[in-house]
Amino acid sequence: MIRPATMQDVPRIIDMIGRLVAAVNGPQRVDRLWTGETLARLIHDPRGVVLVSGGGFIAGCLSETVISPAPVAIELGWFAEDRSGLALLRAFEAWAEGQGATLVKMTCNGGGAQRILERSGYRIAEIQMVK
Protein backbone atom coordinates (compact mmCIF):
# COMPACT_ATOMS: atom_id res chain seq x y z
CA MET A 1 0.00 0.00 0.00
CA ILE A 2 1.28 3.44 -0.96
CA ARG A 3 0.48 6.29 1.41
CA PRO A 4 1.64 9.81 2.23
CA ALA A 5 4.60 9.82 4.59
CA THR A 6 4.31 11.17 8.11
CA MET A 7 7.01 12.53 10.37
CA GLN A 8 7.22 9.08 11.99
CA ASP A 9 8.39 7.69 8.63
CA VAL A 10 11.33 10.09 8.32
CA PRO A 11 14.01 8.00 10.11
CA ARG A 12 13.14 4.94 7.98
CA ILE A 13 13.21 7.02 4.79
CA ILE A 14 16.60 8.46 5.74
CA ASP A 15 17.90 4.89 6.15
CA MET A 16 16.53 4.01 2.70
CA ILE A 17 18.18 7.10 1.23
CA GLY A 18 21.48 5.86 2.64
CA ARG A 19 20.96 2.54 0.89
CA LEU A 20 19.92 4.34 -2.31
CA VAL A 21 23.10 6.42 -2.32
CA ALA A 22 25.18 3.27 -1.79
CA ALA A 23 23.31 1.37 -4.52
CA VAL A 24 23.88 4.05 -7.16
CA ASN A 25 27.36 4.98 -5.96
CA GLY A 26 26.07 8.52 -5.41
CA PRO A 27 28.51 11.42 -5.40
CA GLN A 28 27.26 12.90 -2.11
CA ARG A 29 27.27 11.65 1.47
CA VAL A 30 23.96 11.58 3.29
CA ASP A 31 23.65 14.35 5.87
CA ARG A 32 20.97 12.80 8.08
CA LEU A 33 19.93 16.09 9.70
CA TRP A 34 19.60 17.93 6.38
CA THR A 35 17.79 14.97 4.83
CA GLY A 36 15.33 14.83 7.72
CA GLU A 37 14.67 18.56 7.53
CA THR A 38 14.17 18.33 3.77
CA LEU A 39 11.73 15.43 4.12
CA ALA A 40 9.83 17.35 6.81
CA ARG A 41 9.54 20.38 4.51
CA LEU A 42 8.28 18.21 1.65
CA ILE A 43 5.75 16.46 3.91
CA HIS A 44 4.30 19.80 5.05
CA ASP A 45 4.59 21.79 1.80
CA PRO A 46 1.56 21.68 -0.52
CA ARG A 47 4.03 21.78 -3.44
CA GLY A 48 5.93 18.80 -2.06
CA VAL A 49 5.20 15.11 -1.62
CA VAL A 50 6.72 12.11 0.12
CA LEU A 51 5.03 8.76 -0.44
CA VAL A 52 5.99 5.47 1.21
CA SER A 53 5.37 1.76 0.78
CA GLY A 54 6.37 -1.07 3.08
CA GLY A 55 9.94 -0.91 1.76
CA GLY A 56 10.21 2.12 -0.49
CA PHE A 57 9.64 5.84 -0.95
CA ILE A 58 9.37 8.53 -3.55
CA ALA A 59 9.79 12.24 -2.86
CA GLY A 60 9.41 15.26 -5.06
CA CYS A 61 8.14 18.75 -5.55
CA LEU A 62 6.56 21.10 -8.04
CA SER A 63 8.72 23.73 -9.66
CA GLU A 64 8.83 25.99 -12.65
CA THR A 65 11.69 26.02 -15.14
CA VAL A 66 13.55 28.84 -16.86
CA ILE A 67 11.77 27.73 -20.04
CA SER A 68 8.16 27.96 -18.84
CA PRO A 69 6.08 28.89 -15.79
CA ALA A 70 4.09 25.65 -16.25
CA PRO A 71 4.53 23.46 -13.15
CA VAL A 72 6.83 20.46 -13.45
CA ALA A 73 6.90 17.59 -10.95
CA ILE A 74 10.51 16.82 -10.05
CA GLU A 75 11.40 13.56 -8.33
CA LEU A 76 14.06 14.09 -5.67
CA GLY A 77 14.46 10.49 -4.55
CA TRP A 78 12.94 7.13 -5.49
CA PHE A 79 13.88 3.77 -4.01
CA ALA A 80 12.14 0.49 -3.29
CA GLU A 81 13.35 -2.74 -1.75
CA ASP A 82 9.94 -4.40 -1.82
CA ARG A 83 9.14 -4.34 -5.54
CA SER A 84 6.89 -1.30 -5.04
CA GLY A 85 8.87 0.94 -7.40
CA LEU A 86 6.23 0.98 -10.14
CA ALA A 87 3.40 1.58 -7.66
CA LEU A 88 5.36 4.47 -6.13
CA LEU A 89 5.95 5.90 -9.61
CA ARG A 90 2.24 5.67 -10.45
CA ALA A 91 1.29 7.35 -7.16
CA PHE A 92 3.80 10.16 -7.83
CA GLU A 93 2.40 10.62 -11.34
CA ALA A 94 -1.15 10.78 -9.94
CA TRP A 95 -0.04 13.40 -7.39
CA ALA A 96 1.67 15.39 -10.17
CA GLU A 97 -1.43 15.27 -12.35
CA GLY A 98 -3.58 16.40 -9.43
CA GLN A 99 -1.21 19.35 -8.94
CA GLY A 100 -1.49 20.38 -12.60
CA ALA A 101 2.05 19.37 -13.54
CA THR A 102 2.67 19.45 -17.27
CA LEU A 103 5.75 17.22 -17.06
CA VAL A 104 7.24 14.68 -14.66
CA LYS A 105 11.03 14.57 -14.34
CA MET A 106 12.54 11.35 -12.99
CA THR A 107 16.16 10.43 -12.35
CA CYS A 108 17.85 7.06 -12.57
CA ASN A 109 21.28 5.66 -13.22
CA GLY A 110 20.21 2.89 -15.57
CA GLY A 111 19.30 -0.64 -14.65
CA GLY A 112 15.87 -1.62 -13.39
CA ALA A 113 14.68 1.91 -12.72
CA GLN A 114 15.44 2.99 -16.27
CA ARG A 115 13.58 -0.04 -17.65
CA ILE A 116 10.54 0.78 -15.49
CA LEU A 117 10.61 4.38 -16.69
CA GLU A 118 11.02 3.47 -20.36
CA ARG A 119 8.16 0.96 -20.17
CA SER A 120 6.07 3.70 -18.58
CA GLY A 121 6.62 6.06 -21.51
CA TYR A 122 9.57 8.10 -20.24
CA ARG A 123 12.47 9.03 -22.49
CA ILE A 124 15.90 10.44 -21.89
CA ALA A 125 15.69 14.21 -22.27
CA GLU A 126 18.89 15.30 -20.52
CA ILE A 127 21.96 13.72 -19.00
CA GLN A 128 23.11 15.07 -15.67
CA MET A 129 26.85 15.29 -15.13
CA VAL A 130 28.53 15.68 -11.74
CA LYS A 131 32.08 16.55 -10.78
Side-chain angles (χ1 to χ4, degrees), residues 83-104:
R83 304 186 61 79
S84 66
L86 182 57
L88 287 162
L89 173 64
R90 294 290 180 250
F92 183 70
E93 290 173 334
W95 171 82
E97 182 179 340
Q99 298 294 313
T102 58
L103 186 70
V104 176

Side-chain angles (χ1 to χ4, degrees), residues 2-6 9 43 49-52:
I2 308 301
R3 63 173 175 78
T6 66
D9 294 307
I43 288 169
V49 67
V50 182
L51 303 168
V52 293

Side-chain angles (χ1 to χ4, degrees), residues 5-7 37-50:
T6 66
M7 291 303 296
E37 290 171 348
T38 300
L39 290 167
R41 281 192 300 274
L42 291 170
I43 288 169
H44 292 102
D45 185 344
R47 292 178 53 98
V49 67
V50 182

Side-chain angles (χ1 to χ4, degrees), residues 18-33:
R19 293 191 296 279
L20 167 63
V21 169
V24 301
N25 194 24
Q28 294 178 296
R29 290 190 45 198
V30 177
D31 181 318
R32 292 183 66 87
L33 180 60

Side-chain angles (χ1 to χ4, degrees), residues 105-118:
K105 288 187 172 186
M106 299 293 297
T107 59
C108 69
N109 71 335
Q114 184 171 345
R115 286 189 295 277
I116 288 171
L117 292 171
E118 288 172 343

